[in-house]
């Protein structure tokens, strides 16, 4: 793998790494630095700095001229406080505004927007014009317009400039109706100077008026504020009067409806026998309902009592008297039971000692029998009482149930009547409420109509302005200059984008990803052609025509061009590891890119180091090296390749010491076959053995394949690129072809660069301050022991 050129090395700390390719473009993102290349953007602008300055200066001059031609305009401002609703007089309410609008933000926003539109309305403008008699005010109306083509053109230009600088004339409305006796043109003129702008986050509104008369501007700003207040009062009064008239008519209708509904309710009461207070609309306060409730309570009590007695009757029927608390709790039964229990105890005690026929035993038995009869009699008495109570409870329950059914039927009948009664009663109440509400509203509107107040307050009246508000010469100039600067910079970057040539070594390395090993200034821009001087036509018995006009590296070796070729020579010497290259091919993408001149001057520069240099014109189609060296194109490479001449017969010396030349010779019909033949390889091996450096000028890569064939038999290739006209895409295609042919590309020689370009300011600086002869440099060609490198 070949080593990169020293010009392809970027130092990063203590390490060295190849420069990675990046997309071509000025001001691109620098991957190494991690930042935007702002210097690249500046170079793009500086490249066409004259155009930028010219456009900005022209914009400034035109703006200044326009500003001084404009009539000074003065702006007066009045500030009003805009609140919804209207003043409340004795709790009266306005028919057109409602204080509740403050509670809803959406309604409040709609109210504010509505008032802004009223402030800008044509009706209000006509009202102010009429009130201030502006149609007869010369300061407002001004002189009549002068007809003519020139005045029309000036008016159009003025309108365009006003639009550009932020003063937009109001659009002409479709409605051209005469309002309040004011012509529509006068209203439009008035609105043209009016500006309504709300003050953010407040309830304040600024009313501005712009006029060429400062006193008129203040007068109209205040007049518009007062006119807005007066017009609002008039509209509100008119609205209140209309509302009051409407309510009067409605009040009469409601009165008639109320009287009719009351008569209908009274007739229904009489027909149904309903007494007021006997029932209500909800039925909760009726006498019938209370009676039914009381009966329900009594019936429930009777049922509970009957159920309790019925349980005792069940025990009586089953003769379980001992389980009945009523029987066992009776005092008579308890007394007899006590006596019986005592006799039973005595009888049982005596029965343990005596026989039953014992007289005392017989007495106790008789007493026991008597007490048992008395106990049965007492129990029968209690049971008879329970049976009588049960019968009475059953009879009472039946009577209460019958009464309850009777009252319920009566209540249902009253409920049926109450439905119609409730409908009639609600109709009466509704008509009465409507009547009272309309009556109260009408009284409030009457009070509001009599008041001539408004919630709109003039916070700051307009004052006569001391200085004009427009034209603002400085801000206008700065704004238009900034716009022009932005536009021209956009144009500059557009032109730069359309420029597909490679201008700088950095662009070459980023786009082609091959090293740039030289940059040659433009001969024409440096005016160096005239410095080429011819040597004597005869030297050492050899006839020479003289220096060519393009051999500037020899004519002035320490000029900018000479220093550029000297730097390029050094880069070529270091372009290959181990030893400098011996056979170097010069080619380009297309013709007229300067490859021939570059090859010739480079050969001369190598010769100045004391090396034995051979320049071969390998362009067998359009040879040109002999013209640069001011020699004749006699027998040359073609004759050698065809076998008509030997190599030594066609090599000629030149006026440059150490530089030999082999011209192209005759133009063959098959140059590609000759250059790709085995004979060409043998010739190159032979001349490389005899010389230190062999430089070959070849045809361009894109039109023909001659250079690709030669590139395979040389040490490396120099690709010459014209910075003024060669498209970077074509250069990339040429480099791709050479790489496909497995040619070693030493690098790119950027030709015809303009040192006045901002990208090359540092080159010119270095050359001007460090132009001096190189110190003695011993070429490694002569002392090499290797015959191949000799």
């Amino acid at each position: 793998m070949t080593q990169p050129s020293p010009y392809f090395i970027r130092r990063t700390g203590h390490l060295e790494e190849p420069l990675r390719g990046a997309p071509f473009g000025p001001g691109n993102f620098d991957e190494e630095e991690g930042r935007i290349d702002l210097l690249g953007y500046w170079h793009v602008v500086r490249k066409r700095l004259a155009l930028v300055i010219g456009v900005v200066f022209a914009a400034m001059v035109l703006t200044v001229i326009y500003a001084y031609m404009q009539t000074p305009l003065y702006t007066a401002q009045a500030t009003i406080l805009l609140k919804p609703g209207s003043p409340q007089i004795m709790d009266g309410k306005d028919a057109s505004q409602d204080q509740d609008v403050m509670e809803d933000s959406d309604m409040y926003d709609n109210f504010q927007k509505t008032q802004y539109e009223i402030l800008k309305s044509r009706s209000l403008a006509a009202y102010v014009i009429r009130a201030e008699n502006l149609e007869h005010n010369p300061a407002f109306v001004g002189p009549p317009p002068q007809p003519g083509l020139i005045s029309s053109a000036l008016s159009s230009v003025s309108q365009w400039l006003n639009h550009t600088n932020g003063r937009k004339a109001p659009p002409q409305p479709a409605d051209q109706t005469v309002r309040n006796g004011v012509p529509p043109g006068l209203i439009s003129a008035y609105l043209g100077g009016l500006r309504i702008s709300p003050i953010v986050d407040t309830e304040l509104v600024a009313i501005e008026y712009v006029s060429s008369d400062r006193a008129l501007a203040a007068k109209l700003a205040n007049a518009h504020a007062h006119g807005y207040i007066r017009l609002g009062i008039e509209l509100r009064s008119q609205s209140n009067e209309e509302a009051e008239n409407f309510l009067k008519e409605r009040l009469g209708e409601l009165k008639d409806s109320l009287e009719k509904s009351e008569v209908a309710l009274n007739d229904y009461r009489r027909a149904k026998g309903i007494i007021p207070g006997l029932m209500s609309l909800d039925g909760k306060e009726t006498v019938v309902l209370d009676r039914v409730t009381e009966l329900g309570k009594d019936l429930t009590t009777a049922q509970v009592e009957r159920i309790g007695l019925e349980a005792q009757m069940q025990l009586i029927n089953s003769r379980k008297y001992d389980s009945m608390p009523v029987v066992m709790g009776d005092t008579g039964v308890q007394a007899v039971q006590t006596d019986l229990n005592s006799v039973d105890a005595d009888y049982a005690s005596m029965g343990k000692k005596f026989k039953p026929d014992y007289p005392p035993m017989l007495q106790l038995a008789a007493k026991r029998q008597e007490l048992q009869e008395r106990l049965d009699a007492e129990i029968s008495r209690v049971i008879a009482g329970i049976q009588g109570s049960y019968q009475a409870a059953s009879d009472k329950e039946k009577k209460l149930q019958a009464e309850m059914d009777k009252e319920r039927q009566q209540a249902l009948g009253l409920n049926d009547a109450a439905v119609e009664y409730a409908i009639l009663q609600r109709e009466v109440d509704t008509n009465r409420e409507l009547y009272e509400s309309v009556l109260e509203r009408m009284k409030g509107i009457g009070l509001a109509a009599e008041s001539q107040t408004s919630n709109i307050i003039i916070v700051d009246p307009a004052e006569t302005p001391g200085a004009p508000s427009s034209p603002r010469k400085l801000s206008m100039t700065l704004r238009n200059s900034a716009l022009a600067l932005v536009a021209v910079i956009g144009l500059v970057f557009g032109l730069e984008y359309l420029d597909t040539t490679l201008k700088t070594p950095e662009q070459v390395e980023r786009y082609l990803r091959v090293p740039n090993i030289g940059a040659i200034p433009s001969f024409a821009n440096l005016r160096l052609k005239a410095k080429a001087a011819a040597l004597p036509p005869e030297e050492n018995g050899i006839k020479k025509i003289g220096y060519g006009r393009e051999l500037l590296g020899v004519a002035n070796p320490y000029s900018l061009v000479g220093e550029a070729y000297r730097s390029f020579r050094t880069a070529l010497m270091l372009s290959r590891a181990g030893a400098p290259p011996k056979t170097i091919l010069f080619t380009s993408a297309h013709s007229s890119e300067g490859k021939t001149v570059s090859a010739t001057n480079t050969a001369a520069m190598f010769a100045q180091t004391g090396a034995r240099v051979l320049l071969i014109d390998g362009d067998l189609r359009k040879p040109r090296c002999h013209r640069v060296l001011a020699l004749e194109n006699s027998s040359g490479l073609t004759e050698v390749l065809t076998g008509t001449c030997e190599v030594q017969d066609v090599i000629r010396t030149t006026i440059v010491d150490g530089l030999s030349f082999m011209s192209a010779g005759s133009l063959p019909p098959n140059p590609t076959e000759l250059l790709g033949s085995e004979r060409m390889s043998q010739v190159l091996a032979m001349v490389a053995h005899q010389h230190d450096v062999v430089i070959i000028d070849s045809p361009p890569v894109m039109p023909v394949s001659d250079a690709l064939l030669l590139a395979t038999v040389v040490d490396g290739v120099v690709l010459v690129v014209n910075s003024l006209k060669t498209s970077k895409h074509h250069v990339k295609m040429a480099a791709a072809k050479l790489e496909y042919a497995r040619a070693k590309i030493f690098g790119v020689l950027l030709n015809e660069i303009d040192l006045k370009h901002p990208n090359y300011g540092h080159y010119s600086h270095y050359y001007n301050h460090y132009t001096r002869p190189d110190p003695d440099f011993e070429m490694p060609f002569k002392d090499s022991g290797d015959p191949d490198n000799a």
Side-chain angles (χ1 to χ4, degrees), residues 343-344 346-347 350 355-371:
V343 172
D344 287 340
D346 292 341
Y347 184 82
M350 190 177 289
K355 294 182 179 182
D357 56 353
Y358 183 63
M361 291 288 290
L362 294 174
Q363 292 176 0
L364 288 175
K367 188 176 181 179
R368 179 183 177 191
Q369 180 65 31
E370 180 184 358
L371 289 174

Side-chain angles (χ1 to χ4, degrees), residues 512-515 701 708 711 717 719 731-745:
L512 298 179
R513 299 189 180 184
V514 296
V701 175
L708 299 178
V717 181
L719 187 61
V731 177
K732 191 170 187 178
M733 292 175 62
K737 282 190 174 184
L738 291 172
E739 291 179 357
Y740 182 75
R742 299 184 181 277
K744 172 65 172 72
I745 302 177

